């Protein structure tokens, strides 16, 4: 009897350890230690994002890129220092077009002035991403807090872990599964592209001018009329790194379902977008979303965002609460 009881204690301890990072995040985590924290974040977002609504897309992208490398621990914010000797995630190719670092720094400084050393940069990224989407008319999702900040940031890990715009379906499925996300999450989180923009090079140029590494080849999965329009009006040369393209033309400022409509017309901008209609499972999810209401999409998207925000979080005594988001504490 003692042995049996001990066995179950061990099992419960193991399960507790596995789920501890999930359990330690909670809504209103700072209710006692910094009760105005979330209000400060929300007020700043409401004041500034309406003047620069395109930032909402890059801030949710920052959250996504952060969570896919070492979990949601604000490692994407760290700058290179000679003492660490590591090139950080910021300089990795997937993050070279991420903007909004100064926005996060300004929010952090306001929160620090209210409650020094209490609120993590990781939580600020998560809250800012949510509030930015909401203020532009998009969906609301719950953001449990209590994340702590990481102390390691690696450019090579960013390159390895962040899904690339040229990924095929198998690569996307593997990338998301490695983070505990399923195919439904893949479809829903890709829906954030409804408000995104992209640079012609390197994300799109190969599809138009150098598909499969053959100069002059165009991706046959891309609608030919759309491709011709892109070549004529947007990405006029293979090396254009400055021109930006709307990921959801005609609706890129509105968080809606039109991104999925474009996918079915073979007008997804990236190969990774086009890959979503190459699987019967993901194609079925897309059709279900399009047959449902905008409210249903918002509700489903909210669940996947909350799930993503829990990836490999550091809680309790792990990590630290950075004083400055770009540097680990000295």
């Amino acid at each position: 009897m003692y042995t049996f009881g001990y066995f179950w204690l061990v099992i419960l301890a193991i399960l507790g350890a596995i789920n501890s990072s999930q359990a330690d995040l909670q809504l209103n985590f700072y209710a006692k230690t910094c009760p105005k924290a979330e209000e400060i974040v929300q007020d700043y977002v409401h004041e500034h994002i309406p003047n620069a609504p395109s930032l909402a897309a890059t801030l949710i992208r920052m959250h996504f890129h952060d969570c896919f490398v070492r979990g949601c621990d604000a490692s994407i914010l760290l700058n290179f220092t000679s003492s660490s000797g590591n090139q950080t995630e910021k300089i990795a190719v997937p993050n070279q077009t991420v903007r909004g670092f100064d926005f996060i720094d300004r929010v952090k400084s306001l929160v620090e002035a209210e409650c020094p050393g209490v609120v993590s940069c990781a939580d600020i990224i998560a809250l800012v991403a949510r509030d930015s989407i909401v203020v532009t008319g998009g969906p609301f999702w719950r953001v449990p807090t209590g994340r702590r900040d990481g102390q390691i940031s690696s450019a090579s890990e960013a390159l390895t872990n962040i899904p690339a715009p040229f990924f095929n379906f198998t690569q996307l499925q593997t990338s998301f599964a490695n983070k505990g996300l399923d195919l439904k999450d893949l479809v829903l989180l890709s829906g954030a592209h409804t408000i995104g923009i992209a640079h012609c090079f390197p994300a799109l140029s190969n599809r138009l001018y150098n598909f499969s590494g053959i100069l002059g080849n165009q991706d046959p999965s891309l609608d030919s009329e759309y491709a011709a329009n892109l070549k004529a009006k947007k990405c006029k040369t293979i090396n254009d790194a400055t021109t930006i393209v709307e990921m959801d033309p005609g609706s890129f400022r509105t968080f809606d379902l039109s991104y999925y409509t474009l996918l079915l017309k073979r007008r997804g901008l990236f190969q990774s977008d086009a890959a979503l209609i190459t699987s019967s499972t993901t194609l079925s999810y897309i059709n279900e979303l399009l047959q449902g209401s905008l409210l249903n999409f918002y509700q489903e998207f909210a669940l996947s965002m909350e799930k993503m925000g829990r990836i490999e979080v550091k809680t309790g005594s792990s990590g630290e609460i950075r004083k400055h988001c770009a540097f680990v504490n000295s």
Side-chain angles (χ1 to χ4, degrees), residues 196-232:
I197 56 173
H199 289 79
C200 291
F201 180 85
L204 185 56
S205 296
N206 284 341
R207 288 195 83 189
L208 295 174
Y209 296 104
N210 192 35
F211 189 66
S212 298
I214 302 172
L215 196 62
N217 261 24
Q218 181 177 297
D219 184 354
S221 72
L222 185 62
D223 176 70
S224 57
E225 185 180 336
Y226 182 44
N229 184 273
L230 287 170
K231 286 180 175 180

Side-chain angles (χ1 to χ4, degrees), residues 231-244:
K231 286 180 175 180
K233 298 182 179 180
K234 292 288 186 178
C235 307
K236 298 179 182 180
T237 65
I238 190 171
N239 295 317
D240 182 352
T242 55
T243 302
I244 58 172

